[in-house]
Amino acid sequence: MKSPRVIALAAAASIIATIAFAQDQTAKPTLDDDALHADAINYFQALPTVQPAPANNAITREKYELGKMLFFEPRLSSSHLLSCNTCHNLGMGGVDGLETSVGHGWQKGPRNAPTVFNSFFNIAQFWDGRAEDLKAQAGGPIQAAVEMNATPERVLATLKSMPEYVEAFQTAFPGQQDAVTFENVTRAIEVFEATLITPGGRFDQYLEGNRQAMTDHEKQGMRLFIDKGCVSCHNGVNVGGADYFPFGVVERPGADILPESDKGRFAVTATADDEYVFRSPTLRNIALTAPYFHTGKVWDLSQAVEIMGSAQLGEDLNEQDVTAIVAFLGTLTGEQPQIPYPMLPPNAPGTPRPELMTPAAAVVNSGG
């Protein structure tokens, strides 16, 4: 017969095990994967594996190749140092990894550079949505004094000075008497950028029916992302980017994160309701694109989630919830496009020479 002491120890061990199990069940509630998957496909869509086509700008191999050259072409800038890839580095998640981009004469732009990956699926381009599509966006940084500091006339003089570019434009835009135009520069870049999509991530695999593509912890994060209300602004194929929302619905962040001088979409619409309203960013590849927000002041994704909880939802998310949501956000990293660096034509005798002077220190609202 067992002694009373042994029986007591066994009973205590049983009680401890019961409490531990109960605590574990509290920490990790049972997840209804069928309901979660149904909610996920209701709120989100997987990225297509077929390249999307811009409106009135059909994708052709010739236009794509020209657009790729122009995307990497530093001589579109007056200094011959800056290209589209400088601020939207294809090897770094489509961003430059800076709070705000550094442009001509070491000027700092006013906003963080959004990722170029999957940008085709945004409702508009830039944080304030002032460019309706990628074509309109492509022409902005080239001409902005704080960025590439060029003019359409200088760009065309540069491109027309090189026979290889003249031939490439004629091939990409056949039937045009003068194919080397600034409009065609932006059209070619638009075609290239439209192909920069990142399908095949574990999140997309889950949406398409592979329930094992995400861990239970990541699924719990998605459950919280939906139930807490994050999905109100971050939904659809791009998990964001589809509409405009005020930054600070419940509580405005501090002036370092939301400076009073940058009123967002108000600068475009001059409508009072648009003060401090910004286009919601895509959360795809968010783990690769720090720092965060239009000011680029937040470098840690967990901190960004916490700020969104208080500012947008009015909720102080606990550490466990933040960790789970961040785990879910990690599944939004897709397959990064492999783009070989193109060979660019050499300078010709008539190619405008670089201008390296430092312009006035004024910062204009041209970035992001």
Side-chain angles (χ1 to χ4, degrees):
M1 178 180 296
K2 295 181 180 179
S3 69
R5 183 171 181 273
V6 171
I7 294 174
L9 288 172
S14 176
I15 292 171
I16 291 172
T18 301
I19 293 173
F21 177 78
Q23 289 176 336
D24 186 64
Q25 292 300 101
T26 301
K28 299 178 182 179
T30 302
L31 193 70
D32 186 336
D33 198 25
D34 289 336
L36 177 63
H37 189 264
D39 283 345
I41 61 178
N42 180 53
Y43 286 113
F44 310 111
Q45 295 90 49
L47 278 172
T49 55
V50 177
Q51 304 294 345
N56 304 314
N57 192 14
I59 293 179
T60 65
R61 169 57 60 180
E62 295 77 13
K63 209 181 294 181
Y64 167 86
E65 292 295 341
L66 174 59
K68 179 170 69 173
M69 293 172 69
L70 296 174
F71 185 88
F72 286 97
E73 178 56 81
R75 290 165 296 184
L76 295 185
S77 70
S78 64
S79 66
H80 291 196
L81 291 172
L82 306 171
S83 69
C84 302
N85 190 65
T86 304
C87 298
H88 302 285
N89 195 310
L90 302 189
M92 296 174 59
V95 299
D96 56 13
L98 301 175
E99 287 187 8
T100 62
S101 298
V102 176
H104 187 79
W106 295 100
Q107 295 181 95
K108 288 187 66 177
R111 294 179 183 151
N112 177 263
T115 179
V116 70
F117 290 155
N118 308 304
S119 57
F120 175 86
F121 300 107
N122 292 332
I123 187 174
Q125 306 303 316
F126 297 117
W127 284 95
D128 56 18
R130 66 185 181 277
E132 64 179 354
D133 53 29
L134 290 172
K135 181 168 68 68
Q137 185 277 334
I142 294 174
Q143 302 177 73
V146 73
E147 296 185 64
M148 297 170 74
N149 193 45
T151 63
E153 294 75 20
R154 181 184 173 89
V155 167
L156 297 183
T158 298
L159 296 172
K160 288 182 177 181
S161 73
M162 305 177 212
E164 296 91 338
Y165 267 127
V166 174
E167 181 180 357
F169 272 89
Q170 291 173 340
T171 303
F173 299 97
Q176 297 186 13
Q177 185 174 358
D178 181 8
V180 187
T181 66
F182 195 72
E183 171 78 6
N184 284 346
V185 169
T186 60
R187 287 167 64 86
I189 293 175
E190 177 184 43
V191 160
F192 174 69
E193 291 185 343
T195 68
L196 299 177
I197 60 176
T198 61
R202 292 189 296 115
F203 172 67
D204 294 297
Q205 295 175 38
Y206 178 81
L207 291 178
E208 292 170 343
N210 180 4
R211 304 289 186 88
Q212 306 307 311
M214 294 173 59
T215 67
D216 287 346
H217 190 219
E218 292 162 347
K219 292 176 184 178
Q220 185 61 41
M222 180 160 62
R223 179 80 274 165
L224 289 166
F225 188 89
I226 293 172
D227 291 350
K228 295 290 186 183
C230 310
V231 74
S232 299
C233 299
H234 296 285
N235 51 57
V237 67
N238 231 8
V239 196
D243 210 339
Y244 306 94
F245 301 93
F247 193 174
V249 173
V250 179
E251 177 185 341
R252 283 190 179 179
D256 57 333
I257 296 174
L258 184 63
E260 293 184 5
S261 59
D262 187 351
K263 295 188 177 182
R265 189 153 172 75
F266 174 78
V268 178
T269 66
T271 301
D273 288 345
D274 283 335
E275 287 190 356
Y276 306 107
V277 167
F278 297 87
R279 191 207 68 212
S280 64
T282 172
L283 297 185
R284 287 190 173 275
N285 304 295
I286 191 69
L288 307 179
T289 59
Y292 303 111
F293 306 133
H294 66 289
T295 52
K297 292 294 186 181
V298 176
W299 288 83
D300 182 76
L301 187 52
S302 295
Q303 184 185 0
V305 171
E306 291 173 355
I307 291 171
M308 285 287 95
S310 59
Q312 304 300 93
L313 306 176
E315 182 167 346
D316 292 327
L317 299 172
N318 62 44
E319 182 179 353
Q320 181 180 345
D321 288 349
V322 170
T323 301
I325 291 173
V326 169
F328 160 62
L329 295 177
T331 70
L332 302 181
T333 300
E335 296 178 2
Q336 306 298 291
Q338 303 297 305
I339 310 293
Y341 200 102
M343 295 302 297
L344 304 176
N347 285 340
T351 303
R353 298 297 179 249
E355 298 177 359
L356 298 178
M357 77 285 283
T358 301
V363 175
V364 296
N365 186 18
S366 60

